[in-house]
Amino acid sequence: MNQAARRIGRTLALVLPVVLVLSGTLAVTRVPWAAPNAESQVLTASSDNASTVATVRAPHEVLRDRLLSELQEKNPGVALTHLQEATNGRPSLAAHCAEIARALGRAAVAKYRSVKQAQSYARPVCDVSYATGVVGQSH
């Protein structure tokens, strides 16, 4: 009797999750989305009629955008410090450090409308990329 109960228990443990997943999936495929009387509208897993495509942004793009916002809210020095911390903590970002620092330099000139004031925040992050961005923006 004990072995029969174990066998039944094992069978249920294997079959029950599959049944639950399939029944839940099938229940979702027949949901009317527009009106209660819309019989022809069915949820499908097709990308043919998708209106938007989700885009995955690279980590360096997310970091750049976050630091540019931080520069606007605070100052370039804070953003440069966080850039250095990010590249130290995640070496894969180091390849994009110069590009991000130049973008910060350009944004600092745009914010302060002064090369001299923007240059005053320069730090030894990514060599001279921040300074290059500042000077490049002044022309």
Side-chain angles (χ1 to χ4, degrees), residues 74-139:
K74 297 176 183 171
N75 66 57
V78 173
L80 287 168
T81 298
H82 289 154
L83 173 60
Q84 185 67 53
E85 291 170 354
T87 55
N88 288 343
R90 196 166 175 188
S92 62
L93 293 172
H96 304 282
C97 186
E99 166 194 339
I100 295 170
R102 277 191 301 275
L104 291 172
R106 290 188 298 268
V109 172
K111 178 180 179 178
Y112 297 116
R113 300 184 196 276
S114 164
V115 171
K116 190 173 186 176
Q117 188 173 0
Q119 190 63 38
S120 71
Y121 289 98
R123 303 265 169 82
V125 178
C126 309
D127 298 324
V128 294
S129 298
Y130 176 81
T132 303
V134 169
V135 173
Q137 187 66 13
S138 66
H139 297 316

Side-chain angles (χ1 to χ4, degrees), residues 1-12:
M1 178 77 176
N2 196 8
Q3 255 184 335
R6 283 187 187 181
R7 193 173 315 133
I8 291 171
R10 286 182 187 156
T11 303
L12 283 175

